[in-house]
Amino acid sequence: MKLYFIALLSLLGSCSAMSNKDPKADKICTQEFKMISVQFKDVNGATVPVADFQTINKRLNKPMVQTNEGLPGYYIVASDADLNTLSVKGDPIQVSARNPKTNQTVTASYVISGGIDACHIGKVSGPEIITVN
């Protein structure tokens, strides 16, 4: 009877330990840092550095703040830094920016997935290039 009781306690203890376990612990994830970017171009195909670039997670109705210190005309829509705030099926993300030369504002829609159990974010839909006038 003592052996049965000890085995039962051991089993209950391991179940409790499993519930506190990191959901990614059983996954094999790469160490890369994924980013989803967009490039702005004019009608002639030339890269355009834009002003007032912003991304908004429409499900949460909150801006997603990115560090856009790359090439002019290329901007980060989402990165693995946003992983835990995104849903598994994907969140609607609205991107907007203004061409400083013409003051034209453009918007585009994306769906970006993530979630606490995911290794990396993923682009479900959305353009790679946005054309501005």
Side-chain angles (χ1 to χ4, degrees), residues 42-64:
D42 65 16
V43 293
N44 298 320
T47 300
V48 176
V50 295
D52 305 326
F53 176 81
Q54 65 176 331
T55 57
I56 297 176
N57 183 323
K58 299 300 276 182
R59 178 180 63 87
L60 301 173
N61 201 28
K62 290 186 177 182
M64 299 169 60

Side-chain angles (χ1 to χ4, degrees), residues 29-35 80 119-120:
C29 296
T30 62
Q31 293 296 314
E32 68 184 322
F33 187 79
K34 285 195 121 181
M35 296 178 281
D80 277 348
C119 289
H120 302 286

Side-chain angles (χ1 to χ4, degrees), residues 8-39:
L8 182 62
L9 283 177
S10 173
L11 180 62
L12 289 174
S14 66
C15 289
S16 173
M18 288 174 57
S19 66
N20 294 330
K21 200 165 118 179
D22 180 1
K24 294 180 192 168
D26 292 333
K27 290 187 174 196
I28 298 173
C29 296
T30 62
Q31 293 296 314
E32 68 184 322
F33 187 79
K34 285 195 121 181
M35 296 178 281
I36 296 169
S37 64
V38 62
Q39 182 181 15

